[in-house]
Amino acid sequence: TPGAGILVSRPTDSDKAELLTRFKHGDIDLELDFMMPKGSNSGIYFMGRYEVQLFDSWLKPKDSLHFGDCGGIYERMAGGRGYEGHAPALNACKAPGLWQHLKVRFRAPRFDSTGRKTSNARFVYVYLNGALVQQNVEASLPTLGSYFSDEEPTGPLEIQGSHGPVAIRNIRYRTYMNGRIR
């Protein structure tokens, strides 16, 4: 629903849930601002399946960044093992309590007329606070712990609301169908 304001998720032990949009998307450009307190953990799941991690990674050295840090592409799971996580190229995080900006171009997986997947999902780019932190990262399967474990041509945006507090504002998106804005 159009509106003004800030979306705030403050999970507790007894009250935590993910927030999913009513609309479904395939290819999408997404921009938003987010703010987190010290030590918080959240994420944005494209199609409810493929996560860009939001995490308080402020001051973490570049050589110790991993997929669980802010701007990371969270790992997948197969055969009981995690794999294919992608650390951000650099630490572009601001201090906890400051507004940060995320800009993502996501390409949905492709399927043929029989429903067989012909190409994987892809994060064309991820910018965190104006810095390119991911480029052309392929996601062969949904993220570990995603809302959906299957793959389909479309799905909702999901804001992870079960791991830590996060505030979101200024959500803007543009969806595409067959390479055209819709």
Side-chain angles (χ1 to χ4, degrees):
T1 303
I6 299 170
L7 171 70
V8 177
S9 174
R10 291 182 294 192
T12 65
D13 288 341
S14 61
D15 185 15
K16 50 184 152 187
E18 316 310 343
L19 177 67
L20 285 83
T21 61
R22 289 183 183 152
F23 77 88
K24 292 184 176 184
H25 70 88
D27 296 356
I28 189 170
D29 289 341
L30 175 71
E31 288 191 61
L32 57 81
D33 298 325
F34 69 95
M35 181 175 23
M36 306 175 80
K38 185 175 181 173
S40 195
N41 175 357
S42 187
I44 305 296
Y45 285 79
F46 291 78
M47 300 174 59
R49 294 170 172 87
Y50 313 98
E51 182 184 14
V52 173
Q53 180 74 9
L54 302 181
F55 191 79
D56 169 27
S57 300
W58 187 56
L59 298 180
K60 190 167 184 183
K62 181 186 183 302
D63 61 353
S64 66
L65 294 174
H66 63 84
F67 61 83
D69 284 304
C70 200
I73 306 300
Y74 209 81
E75 70 180 348
R76 274 123 253 325
M77 178 68 84
R81 295 181 50 141
Y83 71 100
E84 203 180 78
H86 294 271
L90 56 99
N91 188 347
C93 277
K94 293 181 181 180
L98 296 177
W99 285 106
Q100 304 191 60
H101 188 74
L102 183 70
K103 179 179 178 181
V104 180
R105 175 164 286 166
F106 175 80
R107 184 178 181 274
R110 300 297 197 248
F111 299 86
D112 66 17
S113 60
T114 68
R116 185 181 66 84
K117 186 168 76 168
T118 58
S119 66
N120 292 325
R122 177 177 302 276
F123 290 93
V124 178
Y125 58 71
V126 177
Y127 284 88
L128 177 60
N129 299 318
L132 180 65
V133 295
Q134 301 284 350
Q135 187 169 23
N136 285 321
V137 174
E138 199 170 277
S140 63
L141 291 169
T143 298
L144 169 68
S146 63
Y147 196 83
F148 303 101
S149 59
D150 65 345
E151 291 188 286
E152 292 188 2
T154 64
L157 276 173
E158 174 190 344
I159 298 170
Q160 187 178 53
S162 59
H163 285 58
V166 64
I168 308 268
R169 70 177 185 185
N170 297 328
I171 301 170
R172 294 171 301 285
Y173 66 91
R174 179 178 295 174
T175 59
Y176 299 83
M177 174 149 308
N178 299 324
R180 288 186 294 245
I181 298 170
R182 57 175 168 155

